[in-house]
Amino acid sequence: MPTGRSAMTSPPAALPDRSARTVFDLRIETAAGCSIDRLCRHRDEGLLGAPHAALADAHRDLVRAERDVTFYRARLARLASGEFPVDRDLFTRIERTVDQLSDAIDARDAQQVRTAAALEPVEAAAPPRVPRQVPAQDVAALLAIAQGAKLHENLITHRLAVATGSRSCISYAQLQRLEARGFVDRDTSHPVHAGQPVTLTDAGRAALTAPRPAGPPGTTPPPSPTPARLRR
């Protein structure tokens, strides 16, 4: 039976590529017009053109990089859990794992840049989407992002969220929706654990200035009743 030390030597060798989500999944599915799983299947079957094939490869590499980050993060949490004796050897293993986690994060952030570059030509060639009314919650998010915003990753929980200058917090799912609609842009040259700046695009600014209906049909307030003193 392997010991605790030997069981934590390296990331798992083979896990399904769909086992980890990435910050680009929604944008990739929107640009490609299909799910990530189908895109990867078509890649394996040789059915993709060069831009889509490069995007599928970049996404797979990013998933592997995300898996490595998750592995070393979990290892660090286990080392600090109290499971092992507190001695000099434990300190050495913690320091080594912190270094490995830092390297994994750097590799993941670098792969995010490569994935963004592979996604650009696919998004540019995608058919235009019919504009839709912007939901009120997305308008509120765009207003908050206009005051300054950054996407951060919590190293402990591995959660992604956008912190804004107005002290509001925007979920990662909502950020993906805004990115897919072309309303915001994220600077992936910055590491996500340090904060990636999020800014409005021209489309995002236009969405804020576009006229919006006062309310859905049928919400016009009814006329006020006639005061009792005027009724005969």
Side-chain angles (χ1 to χ4, degrees):
M1 178 178 295
T3 63
R5 182 180 304 181
S6 62
M8 296 165 40
T9 54
S10 60
L15 286 175
D17 279 356
R18 62 180 177 274
S19 63
R21 301 289 293 176
T22 78
V23 297
F24 293 102
D25 286 5
L26 183 58
R27 288 177 61 190
I28 290 174
E29 290 177 341
T30 300
C34 64
S35 68
I36 296 291
D37 286 347
R38 178 174 292 184
L39 181 69
C40 292
R41 255 194 335 268
H42 288 174
R43 176 67 176 110
D44 294 337
E45 295 166 357
L47 301 177
L48 300 179
H52 286 76
L55 178 58
D57 292 341
H59 178 266
R60 281 179 169 171
D61 289 342
L62 181 56
V63 167
R64 295 186 186 101
E66 291 283 7
R67 272 207 315 262
D68 289 348
V69 171
T70 300
F71 175 82
Y72 289 117
R73 177 177 54 85
R75 171 192 277 186
L76 184 60
R78 183 181 173 190
L79 289 172
S81 67
E83 177 181 348
F84 303 97
V86 179
D87 53 20
R88 181 62 58 185
D89 181 58
L90 177 63
F91 292 148
T92 299
R93 295 168 66 189
I94 289 176
E95 290 175 355
R96 182 169 61 245
T97 302
V98 168
D99 290 340
Q100 290 169 327
L101 177 58
S102 178
D103 290 343
I105 290 172
D106 288 343
R108 189 273 313 277
D109 291 346
Q111 185 57 39
Q112 283 185 340
V113 174
R114 290 188 285 270
T115 303
L119 179 56
E120 285 180 1
V122 177
E123 285 185 325
R129 297 183 294 276
V130 177
R132 298 190 301 271
Q133 184 65 38
V134 182
Q137 63 267 31
D138 286 349
V139 172
L142 292 174
L143 287 170
I145 291 172
Q147 301 179 50
K150 285 187 178 182
L151 175 68
H152 290 274
E153 178 189 41
N154 187 303
L155 291 180
I156 303 300
T157 64
H158 206 44
R159 286 187 173 183
L160 297 167
V162 177
T164 70
S166 60
R167 298 184 180 274
S168 61
C169 185
I170 298 170
S171 71
Y172 173 56
Q174 187 172 19
L175 173 65
Q176 284 189 304
R177 185 168 67 248
L178 295 175
E179 285 184 315
R181 298 194 66 179
F183 291 155
V184 298
D185 187 35
R186 182 161 43 87
D187 187 353
T188 56
S189 65
H190 294 260
V192 71
H193 64 274
Q196 292 182 340
V198 179
T199 56
L200 297 182
T201 62
D202 290 341
R205 285 185 285 272
L208 287 179
T209 58
R212 290 184 290 277
T219 59
T220 303
S224 301
T226 305
R229 63 184 178 84
L230 296 182
R231 290 200 296 265
R232 293 284 183 250

